[in-house]
Amino acid sequence: MKKYIVGFLLLFAVSSFAQMTLSPSKQLQVDFSINAVGKPIYKVSYLNKEIIQDSELGIALKDNNALDYGFTLLNQESKSVNETWQPVLGEESSIQNTYNQVTYFLLQKDTNRKLNIIFRVYNEGVAFRYDFPKQESLNHFIVSDEKTTFNLVENHKAFWIPGDYDSQEYAYNETTLSDIDNSKLDMNNGIGVKSIASPYRVQSPLMLKSPSGVYINIFEAAVVNYPVMHLDVEVNKFDLKADLVPNAIGDKAYLQTPCVSPWRTIMISNDARDIVSSKMILNLNEPSKIVDTSWIKPMKYVGIWWEMHIGKATWDYAGSQNAQNAADGQLKPSGKHGATTANTKRYIDFAAKHGFDGVLVEGWNVGWEDWFGNWKENVFDFVTPYPDFNLKEVTDYAQSKGIKMIMHHETSGSVANYERHLDRAFELMQEFGYPAVKSGYVGKIIPRGEYHDGQTMVNHYNFVAQRAADYKLMVNSHESSRPTGYSRTYPNYIAAEAARGNEFNAWSVGNPPMHETILPFTRLLGGPMDYTPGIFEIKMNVYDAAKKEQVHTTLAKQLALYVTMYSPLQMAADLPENYEKHLDAFQFIKDVAVNWDQSVYLEAEPGDFLTVARKTKGKDEWFLGAITDENARTTNIELNFLTPGKTYKATIYEDGKDAHWEKNPKSYAIKTIQVTSNSKIKLNLTNGGGAAIRFALIN
């Protein structure tokens, strides 16, 4: 690692001043000032055009003393940083972290309280946070509100989901800022508890595009011991205000000095590729706290999961008709239980035959008869299997085939119960050689009144990752708060769902074709997503003639998602028998890497299209994924990312000539050609379609 820092210190005390900080490229500018009444103010310009106009900063405390006025500047400290670091798993083998930083040391005269505000200016964006130094006048304190605002200059196009404190599992809306209104939405289109008090509240990250073509993303990084930030929209003024998720009694955060808030981030560029490829969120998190990371491995897996979503099997052993007998131990098999020893062996055989790393099994443990919507605290113990699932037999069989098993822990929102059982659950995983766990948080949170996005739950998700590291276990959380780069600090936090995943296509109105073109600009900025791609049987009426649900993509687009939706943990989500029908297309899923040396974002437009090329870790091999929304698209891709002077075999998996996401989604074609770095490839993407390419080195 190389690191270059230049620092200087200016000492003065004034009641009103203005200070400018530039990005290393000098294209971004942040102006910070304290106005006549001592309020901290900032604004942001890009290419000499104001993007964020004068916006307030500050924190409101429960003791009615707000840290947002009456300040004077004690001093300021600046530095420049240029360093590289190597992620354990990722889109790049090394990441550049280059920024200019300034810290403003403020004093509130009336209370004698100190507050520091730190700005970092990157080439692709601005980040700032509140730093509360140790002080007698502010020791333990309660945050009741955050005064942070983002006052935009124009009525931007916005890609947004409603501000539900309990769920991100919504399809995105594409409107102007002035048209944001949750009251006009079909709120049954999500799976959350619908805790939306304000019709004008949205979730961050919020992706925006100005009328002049500037891309803006407002998000946060390093959310630790603090609630998630949502955004309240003042639609008539295009102003945004930070909205912190409360706890059961309305408090936002309990803090003790010295401490810091999460970073508030504003990415800005006239090229959408700069937003989607940015590593700013990761860079703003602390380096890995795990010294030995050799046990953290990428995984490609299959599992007993999709068959429950399509209604072929059940999570529970007895069936809902026997739920009343569950508490008395009078369980009678329903005959539809998915997680049986025999069925698990079938998946293990499939995984071993096709070169997968692991098998996930959901519904293996007792409690599923009475788990959902009942607000019961002690539904699962995470160690007791159903009578038809033999842990030792399954483990021995998997080991004989060279397959790792992935544990599943559904908490049903009962967090205190999970934490009580956590060590015993992790000890069981160690005993049977499970390297990773998929956790779930469906339903209302217990303790009652807490939200998925509140401080208590943020601390819980982070604690599970920390405790799992003690056992050398990896974590993939579902229904958690969305990641904000914490996978840098705890790289065993290998993936999360925290958005509307592929499962919604099985039993709801589904995910619209543009959905996967937006997620890389929003949810994936904070960390890898377990989206569970690879569904080949697109229409659900195959399983039940009365079903109208379907996946809103072509089969070729499902392949492309393995490249466009980054994760070191990727699932081949469909049933083994569906892959057996299309082994030629399945070959791409078998071949595609999940850990990368380099990623090149070739084309990007939120809500419309995305094309990404990635180089396999430690190998001269590339994969390309291209996806589009509901509109067909033709594009010519230059292959100058390939190694000059080398020849590659390009195996192209593309939409068939008659393909269409709704009318004919399973039509695809496969062809091979030889290419070099001087070649171009023309891609024809149908409506809701995509293309996936493997470039294998010939010489």
Side-chain angles (χ1 to χ4, degrees), residues 573-591:
D574 211 337
L575 309 182
E577 52 266 38
N578 291 337
Y579 291 132
E580 296 285 359
K581 299 173 187 175
H582 303 281
L583 289 176
D584 54 351
F586 185 55
Q587 188 63 44
F588 182 83
I589 300 178
K590 293 169 61 173
D591 291 336

Side-chain angles (χ1 to χ4, degrees), residues 378-573:
N378 300 305
V379 176
F380 298 105
D381 68 7
F382 311 101
V383 296
T384 305
Y386 277 125
D388 58 352
F389 185 80
N390 189 311
L391 262 173
K392 186 176 187 314
E393 185 177 344
V394 166
T395 299
D396 291 345
Y397 192 76
Q399 289 177 349
S400 73
K401 299 282 186 172
I403 297 299
K404 298 289 187 181
M405 298 300 298
I406 300 174
M407 184 63 75
H408 182 241
H409 292 161
E410 176 53 60
T411 68
S412 63
S414 184
V415 181
N417 180 57
Y418 189 38
E419 290 187 0
R420 282 195 297 271
H421 289 89
L422 194 61
D423 283 289
R424 279 168 285 177
F426 285 169
E427 287 166 2
L428 184 77
M429 288 178 62
Q430 275 195 333
E431 177 185 353
F432 288 95
Y434 284 66
V437 60
K438 174 184 176 182
S439 58
Y441 297 89
V442 174
K444 294 183 179 181
I445 296 299
I446 303 172
R448 291 164 174 78
E450 297 291 340
Y451 294 113
H452 285 74
D453 284 354
Q455 181 188 30
T456 295
M457 287 305 298
V458 167
N459 288 345
H460 167 79
Y461 305 132
N462 292 344
F463 168 71
V464 170
Q466 295 165 18
R467 197 72 184 108
D470 294 335
Y471 288 87
K472 294 188 175 182
L473 301 173
M474 298 182 291
V475 176
N476 167 28
S477 63
H478 280 230
E479 298 87 32
S480 61
S481 61
R482 77 283 188 280
T484 58
Y486 199 62
S487 58
R488 180 185 180 187
T489 308
Y490 279 89
N492 67 314
Y493 203 162
I494 191 172
E497 183 191 40
R500 189 179 176 96
N502 218 4
E503 67 193 39
F504 275 79
N505 291 306
W507 37 258
S508 77
V509 295
N511 303 337
M514 74 173 182
H515 188 64
E516 294 91 354
T517 71
I518 298 173
L519 285 171
F521 290 91
T522 53
R523 161 64 186 81
L524 274 92
L525 292 177
M529 181 178 178
D530 188 26
Y531 188 71
T532 60
I535 302 302
F536 279 14
E537 197 59 76
I538 303 290
K539 293 182 179 290
M540 300 304 112
N541 59 14
V542 170
Y543 309 108
D544 181 343
K547 282 183 171 288
K548 297 181 179 180
E549 295 85 0
Q550 73 159 95
V551 179
H552 292 192
T553 75
T554 63
L555 189 150
K557 185 175 180 179
Q558 286 291 304
L559 298 180
L561 294 178
Y562 285 93
V563 185
T564 64
M565 304 278 283
Y566 165 67
S567 179
L569 181 74
Q570 289 281 21
M571 184 181 196

Side-chain angles (χ1 to χ4, degrees), residues 207 209 215 270-277 517 520-521 600-612 627 633 635 637:
M207 187 66 202
K209 185 179 182 181
Y215 300 89
N270 56 14
D271 189 337
R273 295 176 298 175
D274 293 337
I275 306 294
V276 75
S277 65
T517 71
F521 290 91
V600 182
Y601 286 81
L602 301 168
E603 303 176 303
E605 182 66 29
D608 291 338
F609 56 83
L610 184 70
T611 303
V612 188
I627 61 173
R633 181 170 187 266
T635 181
I637 303 297

Side-chain angles (χ1 to χ4, degrees), residues 260-336:
V260 293
S261 75
W263 294 95
R264 277 64 186 97
T265 64
I266 310 165
M267 298 183 195
I268 305 170
S269 179
N270 56 14
D271 189 337
R273 295 176 298 175
D274 293 337
I275 306 294
V276 75
S277 65
S278 173
K279 298 297 175 286
M280 193 171 90
I281 302 300
L282 279 175
N283 279 330
L284 289 164
N285 280 262
E286 293 185 17
S288 175
K289 293 184 181 294
I290 303 174
V291 177
D292 174 19
T293 59
S294 60
W295 50 274
I296 302 174
K297 304 288 187 183
M299 294 185 73
K300 200 185 301 181
Y301 71 104
V302 297
I304 300 174
W305 176 77
W306 187 247
E307 61 187 78
M308 282 84 92
H309 285 285
I310 63 175
K312 178 183 177 182
T314 62
W315 281 272
D316 59 275
Y317 168 80
S320 58
Q321 71 275 15
N322 290 318
Q324 60 192 22
N325 299 322
D328 301 323
Q330 300 175 9
L331 296 177
K332 298 179 181 179
S334 66
K336 290 191 68 177

Side-chain angles (χ1 to χ4, degrees), residues 160-170 182 185 187-204 228-232 243 245-246 443-444 450-454 480-482:
W160 58 277
I161 56 177
D164 186 337
Y165 293 158
D166 271 315
S167 177
Q168 310 87 10
E169 295 182 311
Y170 293 92
N182 293 320
L185 301 180
M187 300 313 296
N188 292 319
N189 200 23
I191 198 173
V193 187
K194 313 301 178 295
S195 52
I196 306 173
S198 168
Y200 308 116
R201 178 182 300 140
V202 298
Q203 298 196 38
S204 71
V228 166
M229 179 184 73
H230 292 230
L231 296 165
D232 289 329
D243 180 275
V245 177
K444 294 183 179 181
E450 297 291 340
Y451 294 113
H452 285 74
D453 284 354
S480 61
S481 61
R482 77 283 188 280

Side-chain angles (χ1 to χ4, degrees), residues 539 554 658-668:
K539 293 182 179 290
T554 63
D658 58 345
H660 185 282
W661 73 267
E662 188 175 24
K663 299 174 184 176
N664 194 17
K666 290 169 64 175
S667 174
Y668 64 90

